[in-house]
Amino acid sequence: MSKDPYSVILAPVVTEKSTDLQQAGVYVFKVPLDATKIDVKNAVEELFNVRVEKVRTLRVNPKLRKWRGRVVGKTKRWKKAIVKLKEGHSIDQLGV
């Protein structure tokens, strides 16, 4: 069963490190916790019309939130997908 690509790729992760990786053809996306590597690959290929070489995923654990020295909660757990594109492909919408 194929998932809707818009429900698999939630948002690009825009950090200094992920922006530097874009020059090497590596892009970082926020994905749902139940998304698999195959789901991510199919969604990126369909949305951006590129060829994916490799997908790596990792779960980002929640961090404690403090206020006036006390722990008041945690951030949400989320999943990150690191997508490497084949040579000659790039995603122009995210910019480089």
Side-chain angles (χ1 to χ4, degrees):
M1 183 171 112
S2 176
K3 293 185 179 181
D4 178 38
Y6 291 101
S7 65
V8 175
I9 303 297
L10 300 178
V13 175
V14 182
T15 61
E16 189 172 345
K17 185 175 183 177
S18 68
T19 306
D20 290 341
L21 287 173
Q22 288 180 4
Q23 295 174 352
V26 178
Y27 296 87
V28 183
F29 298 101
K30 185 175 182 178
V31 296
L33 287 171
D34 62 346
T36 63
K37 292 181 181 187
I38 296 169
D39 293 337
V40 173
K41 178 182 177 182
N42 293 336
V44 170
E45 287 181 349
E46 186 175 334
L47 284 176
F48 301 110
N49 198 22
V50 293
R51 300 296 298 166
V52 173
E53 180 178 330
K54 182 193 238 179
V55 176
R56 294 177 292 170
T57 60
L58 61 112
R59 288 178 180 231
V60 179
N61 291 324
K63 297 180 184 176
L64 294 178
R65 284 287 159 215
K66 295 181 181 179
W67 183 72
R68 293 189 179 178
R70 297 180 186 173
V71 175
V72 294
K74 293 181 180 180
T75 60
K76 284 190 165 193
R77 178 187 309 166
W78 57 287
K79 192 171 190 177
K80 183 190 305 188
I82 303 168
V83 179
K84 182 174 182 173
L85 302 181
K86 290 194 176 183
E87 194 69 35
H89 290 273
S90 66
I91 299 175
D92 297 329
Q93 291 92 342
L94 298 180
V96 172

